[in-house]
Amino acid sequence: MIGEKVIVIGGGPAGLLTSLYIDRYDVVIYEEHSSVGKPKHCAGLVGEKIAKRLTSILGSKIIDNKYNEIRFYTPRGKFELYFKKPIIYHVNRPLLEEVILDKVLSKGHEIIYNVKVKPGNRPDIVIVDGREVRGYKIIACDGPYSLFRRKYFRPYKQHLIGIHYIYRTKNLDENMIQILYNSLTPDFFQWVTPLDTDTVMIGFATLTYQVHPDKIVEYISRKVGLELGSKIEVYGGAIPVDKPLKKPIVDNVLFLNGDAIPVTKPYTGGGLLGISILSPALGKSIDSGDLSIFERIYGILKSRINYEYFATILTRKIGYWIPPYIVSFMYRLGILDHSDYDNHYRLFLKSLPLTPYMIMKILYP
Ligand SMILES: Cc1cc2nc3c(=O)[nH]c(=O)nc-3n(C[C@H](O)[C@H](O)[C@H](O)COP(=O)(O)OP(=O)(O)OC[C@H]3O[C@@H](n4cnc5c(N)ncnc54)[C@H](O)[C@@H]3O)c2cc1C
């Protein structure tokens, strides 16, 4: 190891996964909580590409469920999509963070808990317990309320607030995810995800809650015909919905990753895709000193997210339910592939020739 330290702020997937790809430097991760992955906030849903990518690095146990059926409830009706192979996978969090951490520690890197790190007065300095600490490189993966983003870039405009209710239940179709669109959360969707034979996750997100979350759960369970038993857990968190930063690097010393950028998919709020693409590139760039690896991968990811960002803004204004309506139509035409879940960009391009017809159908149902 070279004698200098890389400092990583945040023991979430972005901080941990980036650390996993650093071999030539000692890494110290600072995490403000007493363990990784808590408090829980994520639904953990990813597509095939990311599930494969994560399991190839971390082993298959991080995926604890797969789904090959989707049912959409939109203002224009109910649509069911069946696939031969799974289209959506459930990543167990916090197991994801715990498994990455084990690997990171076995490389000789270190994690220090219960410390909230603040930015210092230079990009290579951070404040730890009131003391200045210098790092060879600083990697800020401090999540959706990133202090480093706030100090060095423009603040976030908005966050969606997502909430999950976990219940015991009986009448579950274990293979099916149900997605609902309605006026209770007009700027995002609601999701019903089986976690095992008798446990369900009911989730939803919105920019501002006009209706009490308990009432939203009541509505969803009635709509999908779920008999809810005892409530096991409620958790949630913030999903940044801004465009990704132009360049998440300050003076070639400070780097941002994950929700601090953010690299979340604007339509679904999924952050694991961007993180699992970007983190290896960032780690390898720091190791080799060749930042072009990170810059190239970031450039590709950013332009895809930007496309989706503008499409999402549009749907938030005219109807968040329109994309699944189009997707259901593409499914009936046989041009939807199970790997499209990861590739909203490809989905968008595929749907373009259908757009005039779909606009007519939406305006004159
Ligand atoms: C309701 C909800 C549902 C979601 N569902 C999905 C989904 O289905 N699929 C998907 O792919 N993504 C989903 N996401 C998004 C995904 O969870 C995030 O994109 C991902 O967790 C971001 O990882 P991160 O490492 O950047 O940040 P985080 O996971 O937030 O981790 C940041 C870490 O940094 C620590 N930290 C913060 N500030 C400091 C500080 N100053 N000093 C020290 N430590 C600090 C925090 O304690 C935390 O451990 C969801 C998010 C929410 C809120």
Side-chain angles (χ1 to χ4, degrees):
M1 299 256 185
I2 296 167
E4 295 196 273
K5 281 197 187 217
V6 171
I7 294 178
V8 174
I9 300 111
L16 293 169
L17 211 50
T18 308
S19 306
L20 189 60
Y21 286 88
I22 298 177
D23 292 324
R24 296 180 67 218
Y25 297 91
D26 287 320
V27 177
V28 185
I29 304 166
Y30 290 102
E31 166 54 50
E32 69 173 316
H33 294 102
S34 55
S35 62
V36 292
K38 291 186 187 150
K40 281 161 73 170
H41 58 271
C42 180
L45 302 175
V46 297
E48 182 188 53
K49 187 171 150 195
I50 298 313
K52 278 196 177 151
R53 188 182 282 250
L54 289 174
T55 51
S56 71
I57 309 165
L58 306 168
S60 55
K61 68 177 181 181
I62 55 147
I63 301 288
D64 58 12
N65 252 309
K66 301 173 187 176
Y67 313 92
N68 60 348
E69 302 167 25
I70 308 178
R71 181 184 291 151
F72 292 117
Y73 294 81
T74 80
R76 288 281 195 281
K78 194 163 93 177
F79 304 100
E80 289 184 3
L81 281 48
Y82 296 89
F83 298 87
K84 286 196 188 111
K85 288 203 288 177
I87 181 166
I88 305 179
Y89 295 72
H90 183 256
V91 178
N92 182 324
R93 295 186 66 180
L95 186 65
L96 174 75
E97 283 93 329
E98 288 161 6
V99 171
I100 315 177
L101 178 63
D102 274 353
K103 289 190 178 288
V104 166
L105 294 179
S106 68
K107 285 193 141 192
H109 297 330
E110 187 187 359
I111 185 160
I112 300 175
Y113 291 111
N114 301 312
V115 185
K116 189 173 177 85
V117 175
K118 295 188 186 125
N121 54 12
R122 278 186 358 215
D124 61 338
I125 304 270
V126 295
I127 308 296
V128 178
D129 284 335
R131 282 180 306 110
E132 286 193 344
V133 178
R134 198 189 81 82
Y136 163 64
K137 303 281 179 200
I138 309 288
I139 309 178
C141 304
D142 50 342
Y145 294 113
S146 170
L147 296 179
F148 288 80
R149 175 179 166 126
R150 254 185 268 172
K151 168 147 180 147
Y152 292 102
F153 300 94
R154 61 183 186 277
Y156 285 116
K157 284 193 217 115
Q158 269 176 326
H159 289 95
L160 287 157
I161 302 297
I163 307 178
H164 299 106
Y165 282 64
I166 313 296
Y167 275 96
R168 290 262 178 260
T169 187
K170 282 187 202 138
N171 43 341
L172 265 185
D173 177 347
E174 271 187 82
N175 299 316
M176 178 180 277
I177 289 201
Q178 304 188 68
I179 312 278
L180 298 86
Y181 292 82
N182 52 60
S183 58
L184 296 180
T185 58
D187 36 32
F188 208 74
F189 49 84
Q190 302 148 10
W191 55 98
V192 176
T193 311
L195 295 182
D196 57 42
T197 44
D198 64 353
T199 314
V200 68
M201 166 170 67
I202 299 180
F204 42 87
T206 185
L207 292 168
T208 45
Y209 281 88
Q210 307 289 346
V211 179
H212 193 283
D214 287 352
K215 295 271 174 231
I216 302 177
V217 173
E218 238 175 81
Y219 170 85
I220 297 171
S221 56
R222 219 175 329 113
K223 184 82 183 173
V224 305
L226 263 186
E227 223 178 276
L228 296 183
S230 54
K231 194 195 295 175
I232 301 172
E233 212 177 353
V234 179
Y235 56 84
I239 306 172
V241 287
D242 286 45
K243 266 199 317 188
L245 293 169
K246 204 165 165 198
K247 192 173 172 187
I249 306 177
V250 182
D251 293 350
N252 287 351
V253 168
L254 171 71
F255 301 81
L256 268 57
N257 188 10
D259 280 10
I261 295 181
V263 286
T264 36
K265 293 198 277 178
Y267 188 79
T268 60
L272 294 175
L273 179 131
I275 289 169
S276 62
I277 293 172
L278 207 55
S279 304
L282 179 54
K284 286 175 192 167
S285 273
I286 285 176
D287 239 22
S288 64
D290 177 6
L291 293 186
S292 68
I293 308 170
F294 176 67
E295 287 174 346
R296 189 175 54 81
I297 301 284
Y298 183 69
I300 298 169
L301 186 65
K302 184 184 65 179
S303 51
R304 295 191 169 184
I305 293 177
N306 278 341
Y307 263 117
E308 196 186 320
Y309 174 82
F310 290 114
T312 303
I313 298 252
L314 186 68
T315 55
R316 206 161 264 142
K317 284 197 180 3
I318 62 175
Y320 217 64
W321 54 275
I322 292 172
Y325 180 66
I326 297 176
V327 162
S328 308
F329 184 69
M330 290 165 70
Y331 171 80
R332 290 201 296 281
L333 290 179
I335 57 169
L336 193 69
D337 187 76
H338 76 284
S339 64
D340 285 341
Y341 182 87
D342 277 323
N343 293 303
H344 290 180
Y345 171 75
R346 194 170 71 195
L347 209 53
F348 172 70
L349 292 181
K350 269 194 195 178
S351 70
L352 277 182
L354 303 172
T355 306
Y357 174 77
M358 294 308 299
I359 290 173
M360 291 307 286
K361 288 261 298 175
I362 289 162
L363 290 177
Y364 308 104

